[in-house]
PDB file of all heavy atoms in Angstrom:
ATOM      1  N   LEU A 991      20.331 -32.291 -50.131  1.00 97.00           N
ATOM      2  CA  LEU A 991      21.789 -32.046 -50.476  1.00 97.00           C
ATOM      3  C   LEU A 991      22.082 -32.727 -51.794  1.00 97.00           C
ATOM      4  O   LEU A 991      21.865 -33.913 -52.030  1.00 97.00           O
ATOM      5  CB  LEU A 991      22.642 -32.603 -49.384  1.00 97.00           C
ATOM      6  CG  LEU A 991      24.132 -32.406 -49.574  1.00 97.00           C
ATOM      7  CD1 LEU A 991      24.605 -30.973 -49.566  1.00 97.00           C
ATOM      8  CD2 LEU A 991      24.971 -33.212 -48.447  1.00 97.00           C
ATOM      9  N   MET A 992      22.715 -31.888 -52.692  1.00 97.00           N
ATOM     10  CA  MET A 992      23.161 -32.459 -54.030  1.00 97.00           C
ATOM     11  C   MET A 992      24.619 -32.891 -53.839  1.00 97.00           C
ATOM     12  O   MET A 992      25.401 -32.209 -53.024  1.00 97.00           O
ATOM     13  CB  MET A 992      23.102 -31.418 -55.076  1.00 97.00           C
ATOM     14  CG  MET A 992      21.750 -31.076 -55.419  1.00 97.00           C
ATOM     15  SD  MET A 992      21.605 -29.872 -56.754  1.00 97.00           S
ATOM     16  CE  MET A 992      22.171 -28.304 -55.945  1.00 97.00           C
ATOM     17  N   CYS A 993      25.013 -34.028 -54.445  1.00 97.00           N
ATOM     18  CA  CYS A 993      26.309 -34.535 -54.194  1.00 97.00           C
ATOM     19  C   CYS A 993      27.141 -34.872 -55.466  1.00 97.00           C
ATOM     20  O   CYS A 993      26.445 -35.197 -56.533  1.00 97.00           O
ATOM     21  CB  CYS A 993      26.201 -35.905 -53.404  1.00 97.00           C
ATOM     22  SG  CYS A 993      25.344 -35.794 -51.833  1.00 97.00           S
ATOM     23  N   ALA A 994      28.404 -34.767 -55.409  1.00 98.00           N
ATOM     24  CA  ALA A 994      29.186 -35.076 -56.464  1.00 98.00           C
ATOM     25  C   ALA A 994      30.459 -35.902 -56.061  1.00 98.00           C
ATOM     26  O   ALA A 994      31.201 -35.579 -55.097  1.00 98.00           O
ATOM     27  CB  ALA A 994      29.720 -33.820 -57.253  1.00 98.00           C
ATOM     28  N   PRO A 995      30.751 -37.040 -56.810  1.00 98.00           N
ATOM     29  CA  PRO A 995      31.931 -37.754 -56.452  1.00 98.00           C
ATOM     30  C   PRO A 995      33.209 -37.313 -56.942  1.00 98.00           C
ATOM     31  O   PRO A 995      33.242 -36.828 -58.047  1.00 98.00           O
ATOM     32  CB  PRO A 995      31.564 -39.179 -57.026  1.00 98.00           C
ATOM     33  CG  PRO A 995      30.797 -38.923 -58.188  1.00 98.00           C
ATOM     34  CD  PRO A 995      30.024 -37.598 -57.851  1.00 98.00           C
ATOM     35  N   LEU A 996      34.299 -37.288 -56.237  1.00 98.00           N
ATOM     36  CA  LEU A 996      35.670 -36.944 -56.678  1.00 98.00           C
ATOM     37  C   LEU A 996      36.630 -38.002 -56.618  1.00 98.00           C
ATOM     38  O   LEU A 996      36.473 -38.976 -55.880  1.00 98.00           O
ATOM     39  CB  LEU A 996      36.150 -35.691 -55.842  1.00 98.00           C
ATOM     40  CG  LEU A 996      35.324 -34.438 -55.905  1.00 98.00           C
ATOM     41  CD1 LEU A 996      35.945 -33.335 -54.943  1.00 98.00           C
ATOM     42  CD2 LEU A 996      35.251 -33.826 -57.303  1.00 98.00           C
ATOM     43  N   VAL A 997      37.606 -37.997 -57.594  1.00 96.00           N
ATOM     44  CA  VAL A 997      38.647 -38.999 -57.626  1.00 96.00           C
ATOM     45  C   VAL A 997      39.440 -39.023 -56.354  1.00 96.00           C
ATOM     46  O   VAL A 997      39.847 -37.975 -55.932  1.00 96.00           O
ATOM     47  CB  VAL A 997      39.491 -38.870 -58.875  1.00 96.00           C
ATOM     48  CG1 VAL A 997      40.442 -40.007 -58.950  1.00 96.00           C
ATOM     49  CG2 VAL A 997      38.613 -38.775 -60.120  1.00 96.00           C
ATOM     50  N   HIS A 998      39.862 -40.203 -55.919  1.00 97.00           N
ATOM     51  CA  HIS A 998      40.673 -40.234 -54.706  1.00 97.00           C
ATOM     52  C   HIS A 998      41.730 -41.390 -54.841  1.00 97.00           C
ATOM     53  O   HIS A 998      41.642 -42.173 -55.770  1.00 97.00           O
ATOM     54  CB  HIS A 998      39.838 -40.481 -53.480  1.00 97.00           C
ATOM     55  CG  HIS A 998      38.986 -41.740 -53.581  1.00 97.00           C
ATOM     56  ND1 HIS A 998      39.523 -43.104 -53.353  1.00 97.00           N
ATOM     57  CD2 HIS A 998      37.612 -41.952 -53.863  1.00 97.00           C
ATOM     58  CE1 HIS A 998      38.529 -43.901 -53.493  1.00 97.00           C
ATOM     59  NE2 HIS A 998      37.375 -43.261 -53.871  1.00 97.00           N
ATOM     60  N   ASP A 999      42.710 -41.404 -53.982  1.00 96.00           N
ATOM     61  CA  ASP A 999      43.768 -42.435 -54.045  1.00 96.00           C
ATOM     62  C   ASP A 999      43.297 -43.708 -53.259  1.00 96.00           C
ATOM     63  O   ASP A 999      42.189 -43.754 -52.767  1.00 96.00           O
ATOM     64  CB  ASP A 999      45.105 -41.798 -53.578  1.00 96.00           C
ATOM     65  CG  ASP A 999      45.013 -41.456 -52.087  1.00 96.00           C
ATOM     66  OD1 ASP A 999      44.062 -41.819 -51.324  1.00 96.00           O
ATOM     67  OD2 ASP A 999      45.894 -40.631 -51.634  1.00 96.00           O
ATOM     68  N   ALA A1000      44.286 -44.536 -53.227  1.00 96.00           N
ATOM     69  CA  ALA A1000      43.855 -45.830 -52.579  1.00 96.00           C
ATOM     70  C   ALA A1000      43.541 -45.635 -51.008  1.00 96.00           C
ATOM     71  O   ALA A1000      42.889 -46.576 -50.462  1.00 96.00           O
ATOM     72  CB  ALA A1000      45.065 -46.844 -52.707  1.00 96.00           C
ATOM     73  N   GLU A1001      43.961 -44.583 -50.454  1.00 96.00           N
ATOM     74  CA  GLU A1001      43.704 -44.303 -49.044  1.00 96.00           C
ATOM     75  C   GLU A1001      42.423 -43.543 -48.806  1.00 96.00           C
ATOM     76  O   GLU A1001      42.097 -43.140 -47.728  1.00 96.00           O
ATOM     77  CB  GLU A1001      44.945 -43.517 -48.437  1.00 96.00           C
ATOM     78  CG  GLU A1001      46.204 -44.269 -48.506  1.00 96.00           C
ATOM     79  CD  GLU A1001      46.251 -45.550 -47.949  1.00 96.00           C
ATOM     80  OE1 GLU A1001      45.697 -45.751 -46.907  1.00 96.00           O
ATOM     81  OE2 GLU A1001      46.851 -46.529 -48.543  1.00 96.00           O
ATOM     82  N   GLY A1002      41.741 -43.181 -49.894  1.00 96.00           N
ATOM     83  CA  GLY A1002      40.467 -42.449 -49.812  1.00 96.00           C
ATOM     84  C   GLY A1002      40.696 -41.028 -49.659  1.00 96.00           C
ATOM     85  O   GLY A1002      39.670 -40.299 -49.119  1.00 96.00           O
ATOM     86  N   VAL A1003      41.844 -40.451 -50.046  1.00 97.00           N
ATOM     87  CA  VAL A1003      42.117 -39.073 -50.029  1.00 97.00           C
ATOM     88  C   VAL A1003      42.059 -38.429 -51.395  1.00 97.00           C
ATOM     89  O   VAL A1003      42.581 -39.099 -52.436  1.00 97.00           O
ATOM     90  CB  VAL A1003      43.552 -38.874 -49.415  1.00 97.00           C
ATOM     91  CG1 VAL A1003      43.958 -37.401 -49.438  1.00 97.00           C
ATOM     92  CG2 VAL A1003      43.568 -39.414 -48.029  1.00 97.00           C
ATOM     93  N   LEU A1004      41.492 -37.181 -51.483  1.00 97.00           N
ATOM     94  CA  LEU A1004      41.390 -36.603 -52.799  1.00 97.00           C
ATOM     95  C   LEU A1004      42.804 -36.510 -53.569  1.00 97.00           C
ATOM     96  O   LEU A1004      43.770 -36.181 -52.919  1.00 97.00           O
ATOM     97  CB  LEU A1004      40.932 -35.134 -52.600  1.00 97.00           C
ATOM     98  CG  LEU A1004      39.413 -35.063 -52.315  1.00 97.00           C
ATOM     99  CD1 LEU A1004      39.112 -33.501 -52.262  1.00 97.00           C
ATOM    100  CD2 LEU A1004      38.588 -35.541 -53.450  1.00 97.00           C
ATOM    101  N   SER A1005      42.652 -36.744 -54.812  1.00 96.00           N
ATOM    102  CA  SER A1005      43.869 -36.674 -55.571  1.00 96.00           C
ATOM    103  C   SER A1005      43.859 -35.576 -56.631  1.00 96.00           C
ATOM    104  O   SER A1005      42.727 -34.964 -56.863  1.00 96.00           O
ATOM    105  CB  SER A1005      44.090 -38.008 -56.504  1.00 96.00           C
ATOM    106  OG  SER A1005      43.119 -38.081 -57.414  1.00 96.00           O
ATOM    107  N   LEU A1006      44.945 -35.123 -57.148  1.00 97.00           N
ATOM    108  CA  LEU A1006      44.969 -34.076 -58.236  1.00 97.00           C
ATOM    109  C   LEU A1006      44.123 -34.419 -59.441  1.00 97.00           C
ATOM    110  O   LEU A1006      43.676 -33.373 -60.114  1.00 97.00           O
ATOM    111  CB  LEU A1006      46.422 -33.807 -58.546  1.00 97.00           C
ATOM    112  CG  LEU A1006      47.177 -33.011 -57.610  1.00 97.00           C
ATOM    113  CD1 LEU A1006      48.610 -32.912 -58.090  1.00 97.00           C
ATOM    114  CD2 LEU A1006      46.633 -31.625 -57.379  1.00 97.00           C
ATOM    115  N   ALA A1007      43.836 -35.642 -59.572  1.00 97.00           N
ATOM    116  CA  ALA A1007      42.969 -36.039 -60.785  1.00 97.00           C
ATOM    117  C   ALA A1007      41.500 -35.567 -60.616  1.00 97.00           C
ATOM    118  O   ALA A1007      40.705 -35.441 -61.551  1.00 97.00           O
ATOM    119  CB  ALA A1007      43.042 -37.495 -60.863  1.00 97.00           C
ATOM    120  N   ALA A1008      41.166 -35.127 -59.381  1.00 97.00           N
ATOM    121  CA  ALA A1008      39.893 -34.574 -59.081  1.00 97.00           C
ATOM    122  C   ALA A1008      39.739 -33.057 -59.398  1.00 97.00           C
ATOM    123  O   ALA A1008      38.694 -32.540 -59.326  1.00 97.00           O
ATOM    124  CB  ALA A1008      39.499 -34.834 -57.650  1.00 97.00           C
ATOM    125  N   LEU A1009      40.953 -32.403 -59.635  1.00 98.00           N
ATOM    126  CA  LEU A1009      40.943 -31.006 -59.701  1.00 98.00           C
ATOM    127  C   LEU A1009      39.992 -30.540 -60.866  1.00 98.00           C
ATOM    128  O   LEU A1009      39.201 -29.512 -60.761  1.00 98.00           O
ATOM    129  CB  LEU A1009      42.307 -30.493 -59.896  1.00 98.00           C
ATOM    130  CG  LEU A1009      42.485 -28.964 -59.988  1.00 98.00           C
ATOM    131  CD1 LEU A1009      42.042 -28.348 -58.588  1.00 98.00           C
ATOM    132  CD2 LEU A1009      43.945 -28.627 -60.178  1.00 98.00           C
ATOM    133  N   GLU A1010      40.155 -31.180 -62.041  1.00 97.00           N
ATOM    134  CA  GLU A1010      39.329 -30.719 -63.168  1.00 97.00           C
ATOM    135  C   GLU A1010      37.904 -30.733 -62.896  1.00 97.00           C
ATOM    136  O   GLU A1010      37.132 -29.810 -63.265  1.00 97.00           O
ATOM    137  CB  GLU A1010      39.688 -31.565 -64.372  1.00 97.00           C
ATOM    138  CG  GLU A1010      39.000 -30.991 -65.682  1.00 97.00           C
ATOM    139  CD  GLU A1010      39.449 -31.861 -66.985  1.00 97.00           C
ATOM    140  OE1 GLU A1010      40.414 -32.627 -66.855  1.00 97.00           O
ATOM    141  OE2 GLU A1010      38.796 -31.663 -68.018  1.00 97.00           O
ATOM    142  N   ILE A1011      37.419 -31.782 -62.257  1.00 97.00           N
ATOM    143  CA  ILE A1011      35.967 -31.991 -61.960  1.00 97.00           C
ATOM    144  C   ILE A1011      35.562 -30.917 -61.041  1.00 97.00           C
ATOM    145  O   ILE A1011      34.479 -30.290 -61.164  1.00 97.00           O
ATOM    146  CB  ILE A1011      35.658 -33.407 -61.441  1.00 97.00           C
ATOM    147  CG1 ILE A1011      36.108 -34.410 -62.447  1.00 97.00           C
ATOM    148  CG2 ILE A1011      34.270 -33.570 -61.011  1.00 97.00           C
ATOM    149  CD1 ILE A1011      36.072 -35.813 -61.828  1.00 97.00           C
ATOM    150  N   ALA A1012      36.349 -30.634 -59.949  1.00 98.00           N
ATOM    151  CA  ALA A1012      36.009 -29.774 -58.997  1.00 98.00           C
ATOM    152  C   ALA A1012      35.975 -28.311 -59.594  1.00 98.00           C
ATOM    153  O   ALA A1012      34.990 -27.557 -59.252  1.00 98.00           O
ATOM    154  CB  ALA A1012      37.115 -29.691 -57.879  1.00 98.00           C
ATOM    155  N   LEU A1013      36.844 -27.955 -60.509  1.00 98.00           N
ATOM    156  CA  LEU A1013      36.837 -26.604 -61.014  1.00 98.00           C
ATOM    157  C   LEU A1013      35.610 -26.482 -61.943  1.00 98.00           C
ATOM    158  O   LEU A1013      35.026 -25.389 -62.040  1.00 98.00           O
ATOM    159  CB  LEU A1013      38.055 -26.351 -61.906  1.00 98.00           C
ATOM    160  CG  LEU A1013      39.410 -26.198 -61.017  1.00 98.00           C
ATOM    161  CD1 LEU A1013      40.596 -26.277 -61.899  1.00 98.00           C
ATOM    162  CD2 LEU A1013      39.310 -24.986 -60.160  1.00 98.00           C
ATOM    163  N   LYS A1014      35.209 -27.575 -62.649  1.00 98.00           N
ATOM    164  CA  LYS A1014      33.946 -27.424 -63.463  1.00 98.00           C
ATOM    165  C   LYS A1014      32.829 -27.288 -62.584  1.00 98.00           C
ATOM    166  O   LYS A1014      31.859 -26.521 -62.993  1.00 98.00           O
ATOM    167  CB  LYS A1014      33.877 -28.848 -64.244  1.00 98.00           C
ATOM    168  CG  LYS A1014      32.843 -28.859 -65.269  1.00 98.00           C
ATOM    169  CD  LYS A1014      33.278 -28.005 -66.524  1.00 98.00           C
ATOM    170  CE  LYS A1014      32.272 -28.067 -67.526  1.00 98.00           C
ATOM    171  NZ  LYS A1014      32.493 -27.093 -68.747  1.00 98.00           N
ATOM    172  N   LEU A1015      32.699 -27.947 -61.469  1.00 98.00           N
ATOM    173  CA  LEU A1015      31.584 -27.819 -60.555  1.00 98.00           C
ATOM    174  C   LEU A1015      31.559 -26.362 -60.013  1.00 98.00           C
ATOM    175  O   LEU A1015      30.492 -25.743 -59.806  1.00 98.00           O
ATOM    176  CB  LEU A1015      31.699 -28.706 -59.418  1.00 98.00           C
ATOM    177  CG  LEU A1015      31.411 -30.196 -59.718  1.00 98.00           C
ATOM    178  CD1 LEU A1015      31.826 -31.058 -58.378  1.00 98.00           C
ATOM    179  CD2 LEU A1015      29.906 -30.408 -59.900  1.00 98.00           C
ATOM    180  N   ALA A1016      32.692 -25.730 -59.774  1.00 98.00           N
ATOM    181  CA  ALA A1016      32.771 -24.438 -59.193  1.00 98.00           C
ATOM    182  C   ALA A1016      32.282 -23.378 -60.102  1.00 98.00           C
ATOM    183  O   ALA A1016      31.938 -22.211 -59.765  1.00 98.00           O
ATOM    184  CB  ALA A1016      34.222 -24.154 -58.838  1.00 98.00           C
ATOM    185  N   GLU A1017      32.343 -23.537 -61.429  1.00 96.00           N
ATOM    186  CA  GLU A1017      31.880 -22.640 -62.355  1.00 96.00           C
ATOM    187  C   GLU A1017      30.601 -22.009 -62.165  1.00 96.00           C
ATOM    188  O   GLU A1017      30.321 -20.745 -62.441  1.00 96.00           O
ATOM    189  CB  GLU A1017      32.097 -23.145 -63.816  1.00 96.00           C
ATOM    190  CG  GLU A1017      33.544 -23.341 -64.305  1.00 96.00           C
ATOM    191  CD  GLU A1017      33.566 -23.936 -65.741  1.00 96.00           C
ATOM    192  OE1 GLU A1017      32.457 -24.181 -66.243  1.00 96.00           O
ATOM    193  OE2 GLU A1017      34.726 -24.291 -66.229  1.00 96.00           O
ATOM    194  N   LYS A1018      29.622 -22.745 -61.715  1.00 94.00           N
ATOM    195  CA  LYS A1018      28.215 -22.209 -61.604  1.00 94.00           C
ATOM    196  C   LYS A1018      27.939 -21.956 -60.151  1.00 94.00           C
ATOM    197  O   LYS A1018      26.826 -21.653 -59.873  1.00 94.00           O
ATOM    198  CB  LYS A1018      27.363 -23.427 -62.088  1.00 94.00           C
ATOM    199  CG  LYS A1018      27.348 -23.756 -63.474  1.00 94.00           C
ATOM    200  CD  LYS A1018      26.416 -24.871 -63.845  1.00 94.00           C
ATOM    201  CE  LYS A1018      26.575 -25.175 -65.396  1.00 94.00           C
ATOM    202  NZ  LYS A1018      25.551 -26.261 -65.785  1.00 94.00           N
ATOM    203  N   MET A1019      28.957 -21.790 -59.353  1.00 97.00           N
ATOM    204  CA  MET A1019      28.630 -21.518 -57.886  1.00 97.00           C
ATOM    205  C   MET A1019      28.996 -20.092 -57.522  1.00 97.00           C
ATOM    206  O   MET A1019      29.780 -19.435 -58.184  1.00 97.00           O
ATOM    207  CB  MET A1019      29.613 -22.449 -57.100  1.00 97.00           C
ATOM    208  CG  MET A1019      29.333 -23.941 -57.278  1.00 97.00           C
ATOM    209  SD  MET A1019      27.665 -24.443 -56.824  1.00 97.00           S
ATOM    210  CE  MET A1019      27.591 -26.139 -57.467  1.00 97.00           C
ATOM    211  N   ASP A1020      28.296 -19.609 -56.518  1.00 97.00           N
ATOM    212  CA  ASP A1020      28.478 -18.282 -55.932  1.00 97.00           C
ATOM    213  C   ASP A1020      29.549 -18.334 -54.851  1.00 97.00           C
ATOM    214  O   ASP A1020      30.231 -17.291 -54.671  1.00 97.00           O
ATOM    215  CB  ASP A1020      27.156 -17.696 -55.466  1.00 97.00           C
ATOM    216  CG  ASP A1020      26.034 -17.653 -56.524  1.00 97.00           C
ATOM    217  OD1 ASP A1020      26.379 -17.056 -57.571  1.00 97.00           O
ATOM    218  OD2 ASP A1020      25.026 -18.229 -56.259  1.00 97.00           O
ATOM    219  N   VAL A1021      29.454 -19.390 -53.981  1.00 98.00           N
ATOM    220  CA  VAL A1021      30.386 -19.437 -52.982  1.00 98.00           C
ATOM    221  C   VAL A1021      30.980 -20.778 -52.826  1.00 98.00           C
ATOM    222  O   VAL A1021      30.321 -21.897 -53.041  1.00 98.00           O
ATOM    223  CB  VAL A1021      29.603 -19.089 -51.574  1.00 98.00           C
ATOM    224  CG1 VAL A1021      30.514 -19.313 -50.365  1.00 98.00           C
ATOM    225  CG2 VAL A1021      29.085 -17.676 -51.649  1.00 98.00           C
ATOM    226  N   LEU A1022      32.221 -20.891 -52.522  1.00 98.00           N
ATOM    227  CA  LEU A1022      33.049 -22.116 -52.312  1.00 98.00           C
ATOM    228  C   LEU A1022      33.474 -22.342 -50.879  1.00 98.00           C
ATOM    229  O   LEU A1022      33.743 -21.343 -50.222  1.00 98.00           O
ATOM    230  CB  LEU A1022      34.230 -22.229 -53.238  1.00 98.00           C
ATOM    231  CG  LEU A1022      34.071 -21.775 -54.731  1.00 98.00           C
ATOM    232  CD1 LEU A1022      35.322 -21.625 -55.456  1.00 98.00           C
ATOM    233  CD2 LEU A1022      33.017 -22.758 -55.399  1.00 98.00           C
TER     234      LEU A1022
END
Side-chain angles (χ1 to χ4, degrees):
L991 181 63
M992 294 181 289
C993 303
L996 294 177
V997 181
H998 55 83
D999 63 19
E1001 305 301 320
V1003 175
L1004 285 180
S1005 68
L1006 283 173
L1009 184 62
E1010 184 178 350
I1011 299 170
L1013 290 172
K1014 190 70 176 174
L1015 287 168
E1017 288 177 0
K1018 296 181 180 179
M1019 301 296 169
D1020 301 305
V1021 176
L1022 313 171

